[in-house]
Amino acid sequence: MEIHPIAHFRSPLTSKFGLPRQGGLALSLRGHIVFEPDYRHAEAVRGLEAFSHLWIVWEFSANRHAATGLTVRPPRLGGNERVGVFASRSPFRPNRLGLTCAYINKVETDTPLGPVIHVLGADLMDGTPIYDLKPYVAYADSHPEARCGFVDANEWQPLGVELPNEAATLFSPADLAALREVLAQDPRPHYHDDPQRVYGMPFAGHDVRFRVENGVVTVLPFSTNNRIKMEKHEK
């Protein structure tokens, strides 16, 4: 079976570093789905506006290397303990397929690019190929009694976030809220713990540089040299 993208994702996150490690962790994070020309028809999304959530089947397209083993090191276990790849949600998988449940913010059916689906909380980077979309159906998809293995046994606490005052002039209120949520999830590799180390990630056209110490992310002052040239992805 051959599969081809039906759409691509657009996001203020333009690199793999900084992505939330699961969907729904940064609910202020906005993104939208732009269909490929063959699917730019309102008929393809007819009825979707009646649903609140959407399953997105996509590709870990930023992985530079194919999966080489059958075990991985989940961040929730500190990045050192191994579990089976099929007992994890690691991006390093045999077929590089990802699955995300996102909140549908709105569905536009008449734009120059055809239907556009606006979502919140998706953990996809800008340009990610999408292979299928399916509405979330609570009676079949929700399992409140589910056991979640090592995730249940390793509680995760978000970090505090301190932003310089100038951030409010560089980002829209929506992007600023999303940036706080993204940083609170701690984008660093979980085996890193050097408070002097500076990390950087692109977000909404700016280079965000930060340190982490004592459970707090401190974003460094922005400079005029931190502006990132944004590519136009829409066709």
Side-chain angles (χ1 to χ4, degrees):
M1 179 179 71
E2 291 187 6
I3 60 174
H4 304 279
I6 62 163
H8 285 80
F9 197 73
R10 304 300 173 220
S11 169
L13 286 162
T14 56
S15 76
K16 184 170 66 171
F17 186 83
L19 286 171
R21 291 189 171 91
Q22 301 292 337
L25 297 182
L27 286 174
S28 296
L29 184 59
R30 297 171 179 263
H32 59 278
I33 296 167
V34 178
F35 286 95
E36 290 296 288
D38 286 348
Y39 305 98
R40 291 179 182 175
H41 303 280
E43 289 292 295
V45 296
R46 185 202 294 182
L48 185 61
E49 71 282 353
F51 292 86
S52 65
H53 291 76
L54 182 71
W55 288 110
I56 306 172
V57 181
W58 50 281
E59 179 187 353
F60 290 102
S61 54
N63 288 358
R64 297 179 180 177
H65 306 289
T68 57
L70 295 179
T71 62
V72 295
R73 298 182 295 178
R76 185 63 72 94
L77 292 177
N80 293 310
E81 185 176 341
R82 288 188 173 272
V83 302
V85 64
F86 301 125
S88 81
R89 301 178 76 160
S90 167
F92 300 101
R93 319 190 68 79
N95 287 313
R96 302 201 305 186
L97 290 179
L99 180 66
T100 290
C101 185
Y103 177 80
I104 300 173
N105 192 30
K106 65 178 177 178
V107 180
E108 294 183 291
T109 57
D110 186 17
T111 82
L113 295 172
V116 174
I117 305 170
H118 297 261
V119 299
L120 300 175
D123 54 337
L124 284 67
M125 67 178 283
D126 190 65
T128 295
I130 294 172
Y131 294 103
D132 204 359
L133 301 167
K134 298 183 180 184
Y136 175 94
V137 179
Y139 84 89
D141 296 341
S142 177
H143 302 280
E145 76 287 357
R147 292 181 293 112
C148 300
F150 62 83
V151 178
D152 288 339
N154 293 270
E155 185 178 358
W156 171 252
Q157 292 295 332
L159 302 178
V161 178
E162 294 183 353
L163 296 170
N165 292 335
E166 60 184 315
T169 66
L170 297 176
F171 299 100
S172 70
D175 280 344
L176 198 62
L179 178 60
R180 283 187 177 277
E181 290 183 348
V182 167
L183 292 173
Q185 293 301 317
D186 194 354
R188 302 174 302 164
H190 277 212
Y191 50 85
H192 283 195
D193 190 22
D194 180 357
Q196 298 306 311
R197 183 164 183 166
V198 176
Y199 299 86
M201 68 180 199
F203 184 86
H206 292 275
D207 187 15
V208 179
R209 298 191 175 275
F210 61 92
R211 293 190 178 99
V212 180
E213 184 175 9
N214 296 327
V216 177
V217 178
T218 301
V219 176
L220 304 182
F222 294 84
S223 72
T224 56
N225 294 328
N226 280 349
R227 182 69 190 172
I228 297 174
K229 183 179 180 181
M230 303 294 290
E231 297 181 356
K232 293 183 179 179
H233 295 281
E234 281 81 358
K235 298 180 180 178

